[in-house]
Amino acid sequence: AEFVERYPKMFRERTQSLILHGGAKIAHRGGGKTIVPDRAVQDSSATTKSATTFVRRVQEHLVPMVVLTQHLLDACTLPRELFDALGDHGGPVGAKIKDAMDETMKRLWEAAGCDADIDKKREGLPDFAHRGWFQEAFCPMASRVDSNKLWSTLGEVNTSAAMAVLAVLPVSLSHVVEGLLLEVRSVTHCVIGVSHGETGIVSEPLLKGLLMQCLFAGVRLNLSDFHCRLPPAIPMGEGASWTFVQSGEALDWLRQPPQALLETPSTASSIVARATMLQQRLAASRNGKTSSQRRPRKCKALTPQSRQRPVLAGMNVLTADGSDWTAEVHKHMSIRSES
């Protein structure tokens, strides 16, 4: 909030979009809708005041936001067995992640048991976060939680940080969640998870499977231990289970926009979808793989980086190296095939 107040011009010009991680909701103000901090999940009045100022300034400076509400983050949990598998089959990095999660849950348990008046030991937890809340949220199957055996009693743990990382890639994110588009002062924001019953998750098994695949693929990417065994199947509830796919092409489907985006008119998602289709047509033209009925018109190649898949940032289309591709996309968007 301090940066926005001190350098508003720099913030407005150099911020393409903002990922707001929890603590926000839609409110009705002055006959319209706006995004405001969710006071129910703020840890103090000082934090609420700072968050209110920040969110208001972001909307005043017309910076688009992707809001991951607490309803979404609470539903984005992964089984404890995943972290056990990371420790046993994820090499040194996986073992560090498992140990870090173990230590985090212990600290959270200790903080939840402290008096609300002792702010330092509470580590910023809101008032509702007590031992009963911890047991209901993380140990629903345990009748009693033993501090010395906390890890073994955990059911699922929250991995909201992974969702924040995934939100940086809008095309990939659109495969697993659906957000509510909210226009404030001519800028469209996306709010994912408007209520406890509407978390925005398209399919929980799909989302959890994606996060687990990404975590395991990441920790094993540069693993030099060629004798490291594959992890076992991990249950995800309701009879479903996840199995690690070792192929390097296991996540290639995330690069393609979902079919629903191809039918969305005049939106940023549509630009990405059409840009991807354009790239495929240009690549097919270069490789001589044209349709027997229609042949694309010859056109100047966009850039050497045009073979890279575009990443959406606000309403601009950028290549992975940061080059602005928006003008070229709109320039060639009207290309038509000829006989």
Side-chain angles (χ1 to χ4, degrees):
E2 182 180 356
F3 177 80
V4 178
E5 292 287 350
R6 295 181 60 182
Y7 308 102
K9 187 174 184 294
M10 182 183 298
F11 173 79
R12 181 173 58 254
E13 294 179 349
R14 301 190 182 185
T15 306
Q16 296 175 339
S17 61
L18 180 72
I19 310 298
L20 194 57
H21 186 265
K25 63 181 182 179
I26 300 176
H28 295 269
R29 297 287 174 81
K33 295 182 178 181
T34 185
I35 299 174
V36 298
D38 188 355
R39 295 187 177 183
V41 298
Q42 299 296 325
D43 53 8
S44 67
S45 59
T47 303
T48 302
K49 182 178 179 181
S50 178
T52 301
T53 301
F54 178 72
V55 173
R56 185 180 70 251
R57 292 301 186 192
V58 169
Q59 295 173 88
E60 290 175 355
H61 293 312
L62 307 181
V63 175
M65 290 188 293
V66 177
V67 181
L68 309 179
T69 67
Q70 198 64 36
H71 302 295
L72 168 67
L73 301 181
D74 288 343
C76 181
T77 58
L78 295 178
R80 172 186 52 82
E81 291 81 0
L82 169 67
F83 296 92
D84 290 331
L86 283 171
D88 297 334
H89 306 279
V93 178
K96 288 183 179 180
I97 293 178
K98 190 263 183 180
D99 293 341
M101 181 59 72
D102 187 7
E103 181 63 25
T104 298
M105 298 308 293
K106 288 180 179 178
R107 289 178 55 188
L108 181 59
W109 170 256
E110 293 298 329
C114 293
D115 192 333
D117 296 332
I118 308 177
D119 293 335
K120 291 184 179 179
K121 291 187 177 181
R122 291 278 297 176
E123 299 192 29
L125 288 180
D127 294 339
F128 67 83
H130 45 72
R131 287 282 175 89
W133 161 82
F134 184 99
Q135 181 173 351
E136 181 180 356
F138 302 108
C139 311
M141 304 302 295
S143 57
R144 180 178 177 273
V145 179
D146 187 350
S147 299
N148 298 322
K149 299 178 181 179
L150 179 63
W151 182 257
S152 61
T153 59
L154 293 174
E156 294 197 346
V157 296
N158 190 284
T159 54
S160 56
M163 282 300 302
V165 175
L166 186 61
V168 179
L169 305 172
V171 175
S172 301
L173 183 68
S174 61
H175 284 274
V176 292
V177 298
E178 293 179 347
L180 175 65
L181 299 181
L182 177 66
E183 186 172 320
V184 179
R185 299 185 62 184
S186 76
V187 173
T188 302
H189 306 280
C190 181
V191 180
I192 306 174
V194 295
S195 66
H196 180 73
E198 299 181 20
T199 61
I201 299 177
V202 175
S203 169
E204 285 195 13
L206 178 63
L207 174 59
K208 292 182 178 182
L210 169 62
L211 295 178
M212 290 192 283
Q213 178 69 30
C214 290
L215 284 172
F216 252 104
V219 299
R220 294 172 63 97
L221 189 61
N222 292 324
L223 186 62
S224 58
D225 184 4
F226 299 102
H227 300 288
C228 186
R229 296 174 299 167
L230 294 177
I234 298 176
M236 295 190 297
E238 299 181 358
S241 62
W242 168 82
T243 304
F244 175 63
V245 181
Q246 197 172 9
S247 171
E249 301 178 353
L251 298 174
D252 283 357
W253 59 278
L254 292 174
R255 299 179 179 180
Q256 296 286 348
Q259 185 63 29
L261 294 185
L262 301 179
E263 302 171 359
T264 305
S266 304
T267 65
S269 300
S270 179
I271 294 177
V272 172
R274 295 180 185 180
T276 303
M277 295 175 60
L278 173 62
Q279 285 183 290
Q280 295 174 346
R281 291 174 55 186
L282 293 177
S285 177
R286 287 192 293 267
N287 296 333
K289 298 179 181 180
T290 57
S291 171
S292 59
Q293 297 180 350
R294 295 186 176 183
R295 180 170 54 87
R297 184 183 305 169
K298 293 183 179 180
C299 60
K300 181 180 179 181
L302 300 181
T303 62
Q305 292 82 13
S306 62
R307 298 183 182 182
Q308 304 176 16
R309 299 190 181 278
V311 178
L312 177 64
M315 290 297 291
N316 295 330
V317 179
L318 308 179
T319 56
D321 64 348
S323 303
D324 195 338
W325 207 45
T326 308
E328 295 292 349
V329 169
H330 287 286
K331 176 181 177 181
H332 295 279
M333 196 78 76
S334 59
I335 293 179
R336 296 292 184 270
S337 301
E338 64 179 1
S339 302

